[in-house]
Structures are given as structure tokens and as C-alpha cells.
Amino acid sequence: MVLMVSEEVREAIAEGRPVVALESTIIAHGLPRPRNLRVALELEAAVRQEGAVPATIAVLDGRPRVGLDKEQVERVAGEDGIRKLGHRDLPLAVAAGTSGATTVSATARLAALAGIRVFATGGLGGVHREWTVTQDESADLGLLARTRITVVCAGVKSILDVPATLQRLETLGVAVAGYGTDRFPGFYLSDSGHPVDWRLDTPAQVAEVMRAQDALGGDESALIVANPVPEAEQLDPELHARVLDEALRACGAEGVTGQAVTPFLLDHLVRHTDGASLAANLAAVRGNVRLAARVAAAWAVGE
């Protein structure tokens, strides 16, 4: 089999112990060096502190790996030429012997193949602004519509069209619940300005929904647990609105389109908020990782 699962992760899955999948794009492409390595190791440590096993996922030399050792994490963090891989890229990367960091869609796909049910990330991709013109939509949404995994995230990136993304998730049949909130979080912000239909308040409640998904059968779709960044650690909403408006105008003026839009806007936010957006991003990821570990533990109890 092409998939390489570390011994620690494989044993934990076999024994029914809690495991949390972690993406590697934040390591290779989301943070500057050497901070990226420190954060990667910190997130794995946070999972362990909650009693679960971390499974950071990446493709190295054409081998999809679920669960990296320290040397492999260092390689993802420090090696030049690490590509960014969505789930559509996986067969190409395997055939070409390429190394790459996995996005939400690729991580969810490989985690599900390995038998991991819980995945922690920062924010999901979604429907891009001006979708009616560009038809630009993240591959995350379609993949989650056909993958049985629970994704703990801070909503979708606020640079996207949030209401359109929520509508698309509904159309695709992907369940969405706010964690401890009736509002859909906005990645950098605790509240995107839009409500959610369902609220869950404990890891045990999340695990019960996961069991109900299995009992009901039907489509193998995901459960999105939208966990807001704490208000004290969110990006100032007024600063966010002003800088995002500036970023969108700069994007149009410079003719940035397609896949280049998201990194352009995110980079603009980091630079023009003096790093405050990055701090909010990391606060959200840390909270999501800890919650995901608690959910995985609650899920493991009833397996």
C-alpha cells in the first residue's frame, strides 16, 4: 500500500486510542522559518497533553505519511521546494516521487484512509468573493461532502464569501455546528456575522453526533465543528475590516487572480496588521488542536 502510517499512529488506531490528524501546509507555507518548526512541535505537544496521539500528515518522496517523526517534521519545515498539495495532487505527487505539504482536503483524505476520524486545522477554504465571475471555490468543500471525518476549525477564512460558503456546505450536505456558540466564527474573528443552525457545547456531544452519523448511514460526509478564537485573542474587528478592504482593492489593482488570491490577501493582512492577524491565526489553531484532542478522546470512549 502507498500509504505509510507511523508505528505510533498505527498502534493507537488499532487499540482504539484517540488520534488527531494535523495538516502540514501551515508548517511549510503558513509560517516563516524557524517559527514554523516551533509551532509544529508545539501543536503536536498540545495533542499529547490532552491524552491523544498527533498524526501530522505530509507526502515525502512520493510516499504519503500519516504521523511524522521529528526529523520528518524538520524536513517539511526547512526544506526548499516542498509543494502545496490538495487531494487532487496526491496521485501526481506519488507517481512523481514529489514531496509536499498537505492542505485541508489532502489531509482529510489521507487521514480518512488511515482510519483517523478527527482532524484539527485553522480555517477551511470556501467560496471566493465574486464567485459568479470567477467560479472559484475551494476543493475543501467537495472533499468534505464525501469524506467521513470531523474537522475542528475556526470557520472559514474571512477573506472568503462566508454566507455563500455556508450555503454551499448546506447544498453539499455537510453538517456544521458551532462549538459553544450560535454564531459561525470568522477565522481571525470570533463571529463572522452569520448564525449557525446547531450548537454543541462539549466534546461528548460532538462524539454523539459522530456516532449518529454512523448509525444513520447515507452519504459519507464530514462534520464541521466551528470553534471560535477567543474574543480576547481575535483580530480587532475594525482593523480587520479596514485592512481586508485595502487588501481586496490592492488585489484587483494588481490583477491577482485564481490560486494566487488567497496567499496575496493573507500576506497583506499579516503585513498591514503588524502580525496581529498571524497571532489570531495561531490562537485559533492552538484552540482547535486542543479541542480536537478532547473530541478524539470522547469518540474513543464509545468506539
Side-chain angles (χ1 to χ4, degrees):
M1 185 178 182
V2 172
L3 192 66
M4 303 287 289
V5 182
S6 73
E7 182 178 358
E8 180 187 25
V9 171
R10 186 172 61 251
E11 289 179 353
I13 294 171
E15 295 168 6
R17 292 187 282 120
V19 180
V20 176
L22 302 172
E23 65 164 292
S24 50
T25 296
I26 189 173
I27 307 172
H29 302 285
L31 295 168
R33 300 172 184 170
R35 189 177 187 182
N36 59 345
L37 177 59
R38 294 198 301 271
V39 170
L41 297 176
E42 175 195 339
L43 296 179
E44 289 202 343
V47 173
R48 295 188 191 280
Q49 288 167 6
E50 297 292 339
V53 173
T56 302
I57 295 176
V59 177
L60 295 176
D61 303 317
R63 304 303 296 270
R65 292 186 176 273
V66 177
L68 304 182
D69 60 28
K70 187 171 184 292
E71 182 179 327
Q72 290 166 337
V73 173
E74 290 173 348
R75 183 177 170 189
V76 173
E79 185 175 297
D80 293 330
I82 295 285
R83 296 190 60 154
K84 186 176 181 179
L85 305 177
H87 72 278
R88 70 167 190 169
D89 303 308
L90 292 174
L92 294 160
V94 168
T98 298
S99 295
T102 52
T103 64
V104 167
S105 68
T107 304
R109 173 65 176 156
L110 294 174
L113 282 175
I116 300 172
R117 190 63 180 269
V118 181
F119 167 32
T121 187
L124 297 181
V127 177
H128 287 245
R129 295 167 188 251
E130 300 186 353
W131 181 88
T132 54
V133 176
T134 65
Q135 300 286 289
D136 193 356
E137 174 186 310
S138 171
D140 295 355
L141 305 185
L143 189 282
L144 294 176
R146 55 184 186 272
T147 304
R148 182 59 54 82
I149 196 163
T150 295
V151 184
V152 180
C153 64
V156 300
K157 296 178 178 67
S158 53
I159 61 174
L160 303 172
D161 188 329
V162 177
T165 300
L166 286 168
Q167 180 60 56
R168 186 69 176 133
L169 287 167
E170 179 182 344
T171 300
L172 291 169
V174 179
V176 179
Y179 189 82
T181 180
D182 299 305
R183 310 292 294 174
F184 191 68
F187 190 44
Y188 299 120
L189 305 176
S190 299
D191 183 354
S192 69
H194 302 277
V196 287
D197 293 328
W198 296 95
R199 171 178 175 148
L200 300 170
D201 292 298
T202 67
Q205 288 179 347
V206 178
E208 281 303 307
V209 176
M210 294 163 65
R211 294 185 189 104
Q213 280 183 310
D214 292 348
L216 289 167
D219 295 336
E220 289 288 306
S221 57
L223 167 64
I224 294 174
V225 178
N227 181 40
V229 61
E231 285 190 23
E233 297 182 276
Q234 72 173 343
L235 183 61
D236 178 75
E238 291 185 4
L239 175 63
H240 172 271
R242 176 174 60 79
V243 174
L244 178 56
D245 182 63
E246 293 170 356
L248 290 168
R249 283 189 276 110
C251 190
E254 296 184 28
V256 180
T257 59
Q259 290 185 333
V261 170
T262 294
F264 178 91
L265 294 177
L266 294 177
D267 178 67
H268 189 100
L269 280 168
V270 171
R271 288 186 289 108
H272 292 270
T273 61
D274 294 325
S277 65
L278 182 59
N281 180 356
L282 290 176
V285 173
R286 291 183 182 106
N288 294 341
V289 164
R290 291 191 177 277
L291 176 57
R294 294 167 190 158
V295 169
W299 167 252
V301 169
E303 276 194 296

